[in-house]
Amino acid sequence: MASQETIKRGTWGSKIAFILAAAGSAIGLGNIWRFPTMVSQNGGAVFVLVYILAVVLIGFTVMLTELTLGRHTQKNPVGAIGYIKPRTPWKIIGYLGVITGVCILSFYSVVAGWAVGYMVKTATGAFRGEVTSQLTDKIFTEFTSNPLQVLVLLFIIIGLTAFIISKGVKGGIERWTKVLMPLLFVLIIFLAIKALTLPGAEKGIAFYLKPDFSKLNGTVILFALGQAFFSLSLGMGTMITYGSYISKSDNLVSSAGWVTFSDTIIALLAGLIIFPTLAFSGQPGNIGGFGLVFKIFPIILSQIPGGYIFGILFFALLSVAALTSTISLLEVPVAYLVDERNWSRKKAALAVGLFSFVLGIPSALSFEGMKIFTKMDFLGKLNFIFGNISLAVGALLICVFVGYVWGAKKAIQEIFSGNPKFKLRPLWVFSLKFLSPIAVIFILIFIKKITG
Ligand code: PFF
């Protein structure tokens, strides 16, 4: 029985183990695939600027808020809210998080499957010899037009995720992240340095880092805010769930700071690889499309000595980074079913995994040469609705709940444990109660105009 308990709700082996696992959730395709795609589609540097502001002013606040709520209640999102305000409609925050988790998992795993596929492609020599943008375009189109292949990869990703989750938090998550996240970081720095020295890189750097304010509009702000939530794994209770495993003696503020910082650095570095390489290969920065990074990374990899080996390593690490994020996406619904509905971890992981796989099928089949779902852009729609809107609504509700319903004062008491001074308190309270909710409400009100 004792060991059952440990599996149900373990604690992190150490503070650093928590930071690595939470960073493992945050760092993933959101940084390396979604961020450059968003930058490319939303005006370049001006998007980057708004994104950084959103991370610092709002993302960090919500991160600390979720961790605090999780550690205080020691529960999954639904349980956490119910613990503080039993039998009230506020529980909807938790349910929204559970649904959002399943929906994001479904399309996210499709792209994670691409990363695995590209690892194999690189290993089998698809990118040997001269790698041009025409070649990478062709390879991506062929790759995503093969239904059986993308579905098998989707199945592998979700199957692996469900397997790891069914083994419980400690054994499952910690082991992966300790070594592999730092390794990914080193490889990305290395590739960024190379990309910056490519002929023609300046054009890409200008697109990426020199803001053109005439491109600033509501869409840019909406997507930058949505991207901040997505990348930091906020707004659906992931960090509530992760916070529930943090020990009372840990400093929540510095933990939140480290996770936010490392996540943002990786995203910014990914951009430093993509845009100079795009310019080098003679393409404009705004070519967009979900295939962007899969078409660009093989080009930069072909430019470095040992590119074949580094290519395999890069896609392997990208797959692992994606996997540590899919784990956290599945953890939210599973923790809910285990804690609130008394399901076994195994049964919950299997059932939700299977459901997400089925839901992922139309996204997997909405590319290039396939007839069935191509026109509907299923992946794009789910990505927009759940990756932007749902997370923003969730973050708004979490801020209002903690700021006004539970009360900022009580939350501060929780933060004091492990950080008795909490110097950022006035700023955090201001952002929690006013800045963050108002910014999100503003964006949501204007969304009709933006999308219409
Ligand atoms: N933050 C992850 C990434 O950037 O790849 C994706 C993600 C994980 C979003 C967990 C939301 C979440 F709850």
Side-chain angles (χ1 to χ4, degrees):
M1 228 20 232
S3 69
Q4 270 280 329
E5 268 307 299
T6 338
I7 286 176
K8 262 172 96 179
R9 183 155 299 283
T11 49
W12 304 101
S14 63
K15 179 175 167 188
I16 188 77
F18 160 75
I19 291 177
L20 283 171
S25 163
I27 297 166
L29 297 167
N31 312 58
I32 292 163
W33 163 72
R34 199 177 192 268
F35 175 73
T37 310
M38 288 280 170
V39 175
S40 138
Q41 291 172 343
N42 292 288
V46 76
F47 177 91
V48 179
L49 191 70
V50 181
Y51 173 74
I52 293 175
L53 286 175
V55 166
V56 173
L57 299 176
I58 298 171
F60 173 74
T61 303
V62 181
M63 172 77 72
L64 180 55
T65 306
E66 286 202 23
L67 292 180
T68 306
L69 187 58
R71 190 177 70 175
H72 182 75
T73 56
Q74 306 269 302
K75 290 193 188 322
N76 68 84
V78 177
I81 307 283
Y83 176 85
I84 285 171
K85 283 277 155 201
R87 288 178 295 282
T88 57
W90 285 105
K91 263 199 172 181
I92 199 153
I93 298 175
Y95 293 122
L96 182 69
V98 168
I99 294 167
T100 308
V102 176
C103 293
I104 295 182
L105 178 65
S106 75
F107 74 81
Y108 193 94
S109 302
V110 171
V111 184
W114 295 353
V116 173
Y118 264 62
M119 177 179 72
V120 178
K121 266 202 172 311
T122 311
T124 51
F127 302 110
R128 283 214 151 147
E130 199 195 346
V131 181
T132 59
S133 56
Q134 287 82 355
L135 177 76
T136 57
D137 253 353
K138 183 170 158 275
I139 290 182
F140 182 76
T141 306
E142 278 171 11
F143 175 77
T144 50
S145 305
N146 180 338
L148 186 65
Q149 183 169 271
V150 286
L151 288 180
V152 168
L153 289 167
L154 172 66
F155 188 80
I156 291 175
I157 292 290
I158 294 193
L160 215 61
T161 307
F163 175 75
I164 295 168
I165 279 292
S166 68
K167 303 214 113 193
V169 63
K170 258 186 121 172
I173 307 172
E174 271 182 37
R175 209 175 303 157
W176 287 96
T177 39
K178 269 187 190 153
V179 191
L180 296 170
M181 287 294 108
L183 197 57
L184 177 68
F185 187 63
V186 172
L187 184 58
I188 282 183
I189 290 187
F190 178 57
L191 289 178
I193 293 171
K194 179 65 197 177
L196 288 172
T197 58
L198 290 173
E202 324 78 61
K203 260 199 185 149
I205 297 169
F207 176 81
Y208 183 51
L209 295 178
K210 239 172 120 194
D212 171 357
F213 287 99
S214 68
K215 292 193 177 138
L216 181 63
N217 56 35
T219 318
V220 169
I221 302 177
L222 165 70
F223 284 131
L225 193 61
Q227 176 61 21
F229 293 137
F230 188 93
S231 193
L232 294 168
S233 305
L234 298 173
M236 52 161 277
T238 303
M239 291 298 164
I240 298 180
T241 310
Y242 273 38
S244 74
Y245 301 110
I246 307 183
S247 113
K248 287 281 182 193
S249 58
D250 280 344
N251 182 339
L252 291 173
V253 181
S254 71
S255 299
W258 273 111
V259 176
T260 307
F261 178 73
S262 53
D263 182 70
T264 309
I265 288 293
I266 298 261
L268 294 176
L269 284 171
L272 275 186
I273 299 171
I274 293 290
F275 295 101
T277 310
L278 259 174
F280 164 75
S281 64
Q283 303 174 79
N286 59 350
I287 63 163
F290 290 128
L292 177 68
V293 303
F294 290 91
K295 295 173 188 174
I296 294 303
F297 269 100
I299 298 180
I300 180 78
L301 287 159
S302 74
Q303 293 297 316
I304 56 171
Y308 172 73
I309 297 293
F310 283 115
I312 301 171
L313 186 65
F314 171 75
F315 285 112
L317 290 174
L318 183 60
S319 309
V320 173
L323 202 62
T324 53
S325 302
T326 54
I327 288 169
S328 72
L329 285 162
L330 185 58
E331 175 66 20
V332 172
V334 167
Y336 161 68
L337 290 170
V338 170
D339 291 350
E340 305 296 308
R341 302 263 166 227
N342 285 324
W343 285 35
S344 74
R345 239 180 193 280
K346 232 192 199 140
K347 180 175 153 197
L350 197 72
V352 183
L354 206 62
F355 185 78
S356 312
F357 172 72
V358 174
L359 192 63
I361 294 175
S363 291
L365 302 183
S366 61
F367 280 84
E368 315 292 347
M370 277 180 276
K371 304 244 160 29
I372 334 166
F373 297 104
T374 317
K375 288 226 168 62
M376 288 164 67
D377 184 20
F378 216 82
L379 192 148
K381 290 214 169 69
L382 286 183
N383 183 28
F384 176 69
I385 297 169
F386 293 97
N388 284 327
I389 310 301
S390 226
L391 294 181
V393 172
L396 165 68
L397 294 175
I398 289 169
C399 286
V400 172
F401 181 78
V402 171
Y404 296 95
V405 180
W406 182 32
K409 280 207 180 98
K410 294 202 183 107
I412 289 169
Q413 289 307 316
E414 180 63 40
I415 297 173
F416 276 155
S417 160
N419 182 356
K421 291 211 179 87
F422 188 22
K423 287 206 185 102
L424 288 176
R425 180 170 31 159
L427 291 176
W428 178 71
V429 172
F430 174 72
S431 177
L432 172 73
K433 294 182 77 161
F434 305 106
L435 183 66
S436 302
I438 290 171
V440 177
I441 290 173
F442 183 77
I443 284 299
L444 292 175
I445 289 176
F446 282 86
I447 216 162
K448 257 209 137 88
K449 221 168 117 196
I450 292 165
T451 51

